Structure formats: C-alpha cells, structure tokens
Amino acid sequence: MNEVLLSTPEAGIALIRINREEARNALNDAVRARLADFFGQLSEDKEVRCIILTGGSRVFAAGADIKAMAEASAIDIMLRATHRLWQAITACGKPIIAAVNGLALGGGCELAMNADLIIAGESARFGQPEIKLGIIPGAGGTQRLTRAVGKFKAMKMLLTGQPIGAAEAFGMGLVSEVVGDDQVLERAMALAREIAALPPLAIAQVKEVVLAGQDIPLEAALMLERKAFQILFASADQKEGMRAFIEKRPPEFKGI
Ligand code: CAA
C-alpha cells in the first residue's frame, strides 16, 4: 500500500510519489492500480489545481515489472488490460508535472510522457529499453515519444534501447526544463504553485485542446481551440482576469 504515496504539500497541489525503491520503482499491477486510483481521485477533486508525479532520487521508474511478466502468455498480458489503468492518467484533466530524478526507463519514460510538463534533474536518463527484452514499448512509447521528438530521434531510442541524458532529452523536446538534481522537486513545486494560482477552467481548456488537437487535422484542432476560447467568456474568471488587468490590480480567480 505504501508503494505509491499521495500528499498535499500545499493547498491546491497534490504530490504522488512512487516508492518502490527495492525494485527500482518498477510498475507492477499494484503500483499501476494505485496510480490509477490516485489520478482518478485527484481528477475529481475541485481543490486540486496541479499534480506533481515523482519517484526516488536515483530512479523515477524502471518500467514495467519484468519479473511479473517474464513467463506471462499473450493472453495473460491481454487480460491484464493495463491500458485501462493508464487511461486514468491520460484522462486526468488537471495539469501534471513529472519531476524526474534518475532513471525513467520503459514504462517509466512512458509514465513521464503522460505528464504535461517534465522537469528533469541533470543526471536523469530517459530510455525505452524494451527492445533489449524482446518486446516493444506497450504504453505509448512508440507513439508519444515519436510525437514529442520526431521520427528519427525516437527511432534511435526505440531501435537501440539506449537511454539518453537530460541535456539531450531537453534538446530534443522530451523534457520541459533541466535543473540541478537537488532542485527538481523545488522547481516542480514552484511551477505547480504558479499554475495553481491561474484560472483552473482556462488551465483545463489548454490541456484538453493541446492534447486533443495534436491528433486531429489542423482545421478541426483550430476549431476546438476557437470553441474553448469562446466558452471561457462564460466564466467569471475571464471577467475577473480582464477587469483586474484594466483596474491595475491582482486578479482573484475563483475557478468559476
Ligand atoms: N522490473 C522488475 N524488477 C526490476 C526492474 C523492472 N523493470 N528494474 C529493476 N528491478 C529489480 C531488479 O531485478 C533487482 O531486484 P533483486 O534485488 O531482487 O535482484 C532490483 O530491482 C535492483 O535492480 P538492479 O540490481 O538491476 O539495480 P541497478 O541500480 O544496478 O540498475 C536499472 C537499475 C538500470 C534500472 C536496472 O535494474 C534495469 O535495467 N532495469 C530494467 C529496465 C527495463 O528494462 N525497463 C523496461 C521494462 S519493460 C516495459 O517497461 C514495458 C512497457 O512499455 C510498459
């Protein structure tokens, strides 16, 4: 039960920590189920404005639990239907910041890619080593990585299984920021604080439109953006934000 921990370090900010150090934070069914529960729960919680997802100081997560699947049959894997557990994360409408120290490998890299921002420590390493195990990534690695960094950089990682460092990951667009290893959580908290103070309806629309828009034709995506833009004029926070600007005072957003 303590393999994934949930806390509220500050009002509006939830912190999820994977805490299975002895197995390098490998994602077994219990860890995945608990992550899904927490993300589902936080998604519904009106008090939560931003979620930080982190691991340990040496390993963010070393991927799916290899011991739990080494002897599994194809049908076992199919029946486990772990994509349902991942869906709780992808369906989460709140902004998610992955605070990554150490290794984010396989499902760990895929988990980080489910976040909206990735803050990496300078020694962090990202990789999709599944090919070395005789499989391929099964939780979005071939798709989200390619969308994030482009075909040729993704192919290099996927076909060799070699991890890359934080600076290279930043250069290719896989992470949002690289900071000192001991600054990762602090920086994630600062960003979460900044996001938590902004109007949550507009924040949710940014997330929804960016994610939905990247997989549909541009004209349809622009239409989605227009509609979200228009709808936000029904929110009290839009009136407050613009009036505060004109009246030269700080806005007081209420989330309505
Ligand atoms: N699954 C299960 N157990 C794991 C694990 C994993 N992914 N990663 C590490 N462990 C276990 C080890 O088996 C070991 O257990 P024992 O103490 O019982 O022997 C313990 O964690 C410590 O591991 P190491 O001794 O290897 O620790 P290290 O610090 O020397 O190395 C590591 C760390 C580089 C992460 C190395 O453990 C490693 O390469 N792990 C596997 C990474 C990997 O291949 N991930 C992809 C998994 S497949 C996947 O993720 C599919 C998908 O798309 C969803």
Side-chain angles (χ1 to χ4, degrees):
M1 285 300 263
N2 293 330
E3 289 183 336
V4 186
L5 304 168
L6 173 62
S7 61
T8 309
E10 281 177 29
I13 303 174
L15 176 67
I16 299 177
R17 181 185 292 281
I18 307 172
N19 182 41
R20 200 183 170 220
E21 168 64 29
E22 71 288 357
R24 302 299 182 265
N25 284 347
L27 307 168
N28 61 6
D29 285 351
V31 168
R32 272 192 284 237
R34 195 113 161 112
L35 284 171
D37 279 354
F38 283 150
F39 275 101
Q41 182 183 318
L42 295 173
S43 218
E44 299 303 317
D45 187 339
K46 288 198 170 53
E47 302 301 314
V48 174
R49 301 286 180 87
C50 191
I51 301 169
I52 299 174
L53 172 64
T54 196
S57 57
R58 290 191 302 147
V59 182
F60 175 75
D65 192 312
I66 299 168
K67 291 173 187 165
M69 61 185 174
E71 302 308 324
S73 71
I75 301 301
D76 292 335
I77 297 293
M78 195 190 297
L79 292 175
R80 282 182 200 174
T82 48
H83 66 281
R84 291 207 205 114
L85 299 173
W86 287 94
Q87 272 162 8
I89 307 175
T90 47
C92 177
K94 314 270 176 167
I96 303 170
I97 303 176
V100 179
N101 276 114
L103 299 165
L105 300 179
C109 186
E110 290 168 313
L111 185 59
M113 287 192 288
N114 269 282
D116 304 305
L117 294 169
I118 301 180
I119 306 301
E122 57 201 345
S123 315
R125 292 180 74 70
F126 296 81
Q128 297 289 166
E130 290 88 343
I131 198 71
K132 297 180 182 174
L133 299 169
I135 55 170
I136 68 167
T142 62
Q143 304 306 311
R144 285 202 181 87
L145 183 63
T146 309
R147 281 163 172 72
V149 307
K151 172 184 162 185
F152 294 102
K153 287 172 184 143
M155 280 290 195
K156 189 172 161 197
M157 288 174 73
L158 294 162
L159 290 175
T160 66
Q162 290 301 339
I164 56 165
E168 192 177 347
F170 177 75
M172 63 168 71
L174 182 54
V175 308
S176 316
E177 271 183 38
V178 181
V179 297
D181 289 332
D182 55 355
Q183 304 291 304
V184 172
L185 207 51
E186 205 175 299
R187 181 63 188 139
M189 280 296 295
L191 279 169
R193 214 172 280 134
E194 204 174 320
I195 291 167
L198 292 167
L201 291 175
I203 290 283
Q205 289 302 304
V206 167
K207 175 160 177 163
E208 196 170 11
V209 169
V210 170
L211 294 181
Q214 60 186 359
D215 295 323
I216 57 177
L218 180 61
E219 277 312 314
L222 289 171
M223 162 94 81
L224 261 189
E225 181 192 75
R226 260 193 325 272
K227 294 296 148 197
F229 175 80
Q230 291 159 1
I231 281 170
L232 285 168
F233 283 76
S235 71
D237 281 348
Q238 172 271 322
K239 296 288 174 285
E240 170 61 10
M242 293 195 181
R243 282 174 192 154
F245 172 79
I246 293 164
E247 292 163 14
K248 300 187 190 302
R249 61 173 174 82
E252 270 184 56
F253 294 122
K254 295 201 165 59
I256 51 174

